[in-house]
Amino acid sequence: MALYNFKKIMVVPTAKDFIDLTLSKTQRKTPTVVHKHYQIHRIRHFYMRKVKFTQQNYHDRLSQILTDFPKLDDIHPFYADLMNVLYDKDHYKLALGQINIAKNLIDNVAKDYVRLMKYGDSLYRCKQLKRAALGRMCTILKRQKQSLEYLEQVRQHLSRLPTIDPNTRTLLLCGYPNVGKSSFINKVTRADVEVQPYAFTTKSLFVGHMDYKYLRWQVVDTPGILDHPLEERNTIEMQAITALAHLRAAVLYVMDLSEQCGHTLSQQLELFNSIRPLFANKPLIVMANKCDVRKISELSEENQKIIADLIAEGITVIETSSLTEEGVMQVKTEACDHLLAHRVNTKMKGKKVHDVLNRLHLAIPAKRDQKERPPFIPDGAMVRRKAMETDAPKRKLERDLEIELGDDYMLDLQKYWDLMNPDEKQDRIPEIWEGHNIADYIDPEIMKRLEDLEREEELREKAGEYDSEEESEDEEMQEIRQLASQIREKRKLKILESREKNTKGPRLPRTAKKVERGTLEKDMSDLGLDMTDKDDSHYAQRSRSLVRKRKREVSAPPTSRTRSQSASRPPRDQSGVRDAKMLKKVKVLMKGSQKEMNRQGKKGESDRHVFDLKPKHLFAGKRKSGSTSRR
Amino acid sequence: MRIEKCYFCSAPVYPGHGMAFVRNDCKVFQFCRSKCHKNFKKKRNPRKTRWTKAFRKASGKELTVDNSLEFEKRRNIPLKYNRELWSKTVEAMKKVEAIKQKRQSRFIVNRLKKGKELEKAADISEIKKNIHLIKAPHAGQAKQLEDKMVQKLAEDVEMDE
């Protein structure tokens, strides 16, 4: 259906805008840099591309316009006629034709200039050709200014037309201006059409939707029609006529009984008769509107006769009043029923029906037995229905209770609980015990399972699983354990001692260290040996006497002279010293001479080492990475 | 109100403590503290993180299959409140808990028995190897020798007589 695409037509730009758009697009989307020294084919290609690009753009845009706008031959004749009425078919077709021509011209221009460009031999020539081509295309478009403007206006108006589906159920309202058509549609549907006392308030068609019998119905409100021949009708009236002519709808001809519209009943009848031909094959209802002002029975004799004539011809005449809504529903139901019947009839007469009819089968179930099967209504619903009807006092609500108790009111939802023992409703239910959720333990068979478990436990206990092992071990094991721990401790101590040794210094033989007698005896007695009277053991004698006691053996080689001499010479710090006083002085002198050396940390007299306390590489210069905040 | 289990360490999460995380596949993870939460975010496997209960159960350090453990189970069908059932349940819970504790500790003790035996054996071998550190091997031998000599002398004297 082309109906709904009226809103989707692309915007038609004005000529100036169109040109600007396309040219700027060409400027942006094609390469912009070209130099004289490029190879000629490259220059040609560059400019040809621009020409083709512009042509492509124009072509696309114009084609889109041409396809978007509906072709009057392709759409429903109602819309075709409507558009003719509103926009003039000829003008419309002409405008589109012009656009088409423009498109073709642009294509030709581009083709020609591209062909010419092949023979361009310099940048300047190619550039001029391109200029010429683009210029011509733009001029062609400039000439279409009027068409484009017209099409834009058509598009805007088209998109605002009401979406009337010509094939669905429709009710059409027609009559003189100011008779009450718009009021009627306002009453029956959700449409909000302007209602004013002056004529031609409604200037175009309006659609409203309503529901009846679970179906959607369109109600179309038309501008009023005056009684003059077709040729003299203006655009507004022609819309109404078009609607009447093309829509297969139920027609509601509205008459004003009170003649407030400014036309007498006979004039209205005249109009009715003149449009009569348009009502062929359409269910017709005459609405005698504004009956709150004047009823049919209050009419004059002639007017009553007019009405009677109408009824005699078989046309339904219903008294209505849009103001008091009298008869509005009746009109609605009558019109809808008539139209549905009419539609069904036409369908039955058509050809398509038989395809459907062959496949349809109405199944009427026959009674199986004489058993009565009335509908089931639960008791609660029956009670409630009765309560509604008799307006009995309702049950007491919480709110009532709240008001009654005032300040003392406590919301207690536990009273609504549906428990097995209703007297437990006010219990406070325990949820947690010692880190476990009670809800995880609840089981109807819990007691049984507990019994099984306890039985099992008893069996286990009997089997001796829980007997504590011999915690008191025999004394032997305790002793063993104690000894073992002592051994371990001793080992650790030895390890620590050995760690304190200085392994980096000179490795002296064991005999260099003097072993104290006391420590030796202590260690040995710790190990369990008896060290009580060892005074005459070999280690308890003084070392000197040890040397003296040792007999020199005959086979031993003679010791050197220096050795024997050094044995008899006094030590250097005692030679030449006469007495204790001198010894003291000597010592003081010695210390004095050593002071300076010691202060400087020198190893001895001959130590000439110069320490480099402030090496330059650490105290000056920049660092490669990192800061020099520490020196 | 429920006490949840921490997904990572299986500790109880009391109301008002810990954090819950809901993943896009609608799985909810409760954590007892940020330690577990952070470990979870680091994608650590609780079955391999040694301090969690999940590890202990997975590596057989704690009792896993037992009847007393079947009592505490998350039930999806709630039962209507019934005073006597509830009170019975609470009593049963206490008893079950006692039995459970007993069994769990027994399990651990059994597991550690082997260690005790190994300890004993280690002690004995230690003594055998390193007794010299605290007791000299020939500790009482001098005395013994003396005694023997004295005895021998006495015998000799006797013999002479």
Coordinates of all heavy atoms in Angstrom, one line a residue, chain A residues 414-415 417-426, chain B residues 83:
Chain A
Q414 N 0.6 -11.5 61.4 CA 0.7 -13.0 61.7 C -0.7 -13.5 61.9 O -0.9 -14.7 61.9 CB 1.6 -13.2 62.9 CG 3.1 -13.0 62.6 CD 4.0 -13.4 63.7 OE1 3.8 -12.9 64.8 NE2 4.9 -14.3 63.5
K415 N -1.7 -12.7 62.2 CA -3.0 -13.2 62.5 C -3.7 -13.8 61.2 O -4.6 -14.5 61.3 CB -3.9 -12.2 63.2 CG -4.2 -11.0 62.3 CD -5.1 -10.1 63.1 CE -5.5 -8.9 62.2 NZ -5.2 -7.6 62.8
W417 N -2.1 -15.7 59.1 CA -1.5 -17.0 58.7 C -2.4 -18.1 58.7 O -3.3 -18.2 59.6 CB -0.3 -17.2 59.6 CG 0.9 -16.4 59.4 CD1 1.0 -15.4 58.4 CD2 2.1 -16.4 60.1 NE1 2.2 -14.9 58.5 CE2 2.9 -15.4 59.5 CE3 2.6 -17.1 61.2 CZ2 4.2 -15.2 60.0 CZ3 3.8 -16.9 61.7 CH2 4.6 -15.9 61.1
D418 N -2.1 -19.0 57.8 CA -3.0 -20.2 57.7 C -2.2 -21.4 58.2 O -1.5 -22.1 57.4 CB -3.4 -20.4 56.2 CG -4.1 -21.7 56.0 OD1 -4.7 -22.2 56.9 OD2 -4.0 -22.2 54.8
L419 N -2.3 -21.6 59.5 CA -1.5 -22.7 60.1 C -2.4 -23.9 60.4 O -3.6 -23.8 60.4 CB -0.8 -22.2 61.3 CG 0.2 -21.1 61.1 CD1 0.7 -20.6 62.5 CD2 1.4 -21.5 60.3
M420 N -1.7 -25.0 60.7 CA -2.5 -26.2 61.1 C -3.1 -26.0 62.5 O -4.2 -26.5 62.7 CB -1.5 -27.4 61.1 CG -1.1 -27.7 59.7 SD -0.2 -29.3 59.6 CE 1.4 -28.7 59.7
N421 N -2.3 -25.4 63.4 CA -2.9 -25.1 64.7 C -3.1 -23.6 64.8 O -2.1 -22.9 65.0 CB -2.0 -25.6 65.9 CG -1.7 -27.1 65.7 OD1 -2.2 -27.7 64.8 ND2 -0.7 -27.5 66.4
P422 N -4.3 -23.1 64.7 CA -4.4 -21.6 64.7 C -3.9 -21.0 66.0 O -3.7 -19.8 66.0 CB -5.9 -21.4 64.5 CG -6.5 -22.7 64.4 CD -5.5 -23.8 64.6
D423 N -3.8 -21.7 67.1 CA -3.4 -21.0 68.3 C -1.9 -20.7 68.3 O -1.4 -20.2 69.2 CB -3.8 -21.8 69.5 CG -3.4 -23.2 69.4 OD1 -3.3 -23.7 68.3 OD2 -3.3 -23.9 70.5
E424 N -1.2 -21.2 67.3 CA 0.2 -21.0 67.3 C 0.6 -19.7 66.5 O 1.7 -19.4 66.2 CB 0.9 -22.2 66.6 CG 0.9 -23.4 67.4 CD 1.5 -24.6 66.7 OE1 1.9 -24.4 65.5 OE2 1.4 -25.7 67.2
K425 N -0.4 -19.0 66.1 CA -0.2 -17.9 65.1 C 0.7 -16.8 65.7 O 1.4 -16.1 65.0 CB -1.5 -17.3 64.7 CG -2.2 -18.0 63.7 CD -3.4 -17.3 63.2 CE -4.3 -18.2 62.3 NZ -5.5 -17.5 62.0
Q426 N 0.6 -16.6 67.0 CA 1.4 -15.5 67.6 C 2.8 -15.9 68.0 O 3.4 -15.1 68.7 CB 0.6 -14.9 68.8 CG -0.8 -14.5 68.5 CD -0.8 -13.4 67.5 OE1 0.1 -12.6 67.5 NE2 -1.8 -13.4 66.7
Chain B
R83 N 4.5 -25.7 65.8 CA 5.3 -25.5 67.0 C 6.0 -26.8 67.4 O 7.2 -26.7 67.7 CB 4.3 -25.1 68.1 CG 5.1 -24.6 69.3 CD 4.2 -24.3 70.5 NE 3.4 -23.1 70.2 CZ 2.4 -22.7 70.9 NH1 2.0 -23.5 71.9 NH2 1.7 -21.7 70.6

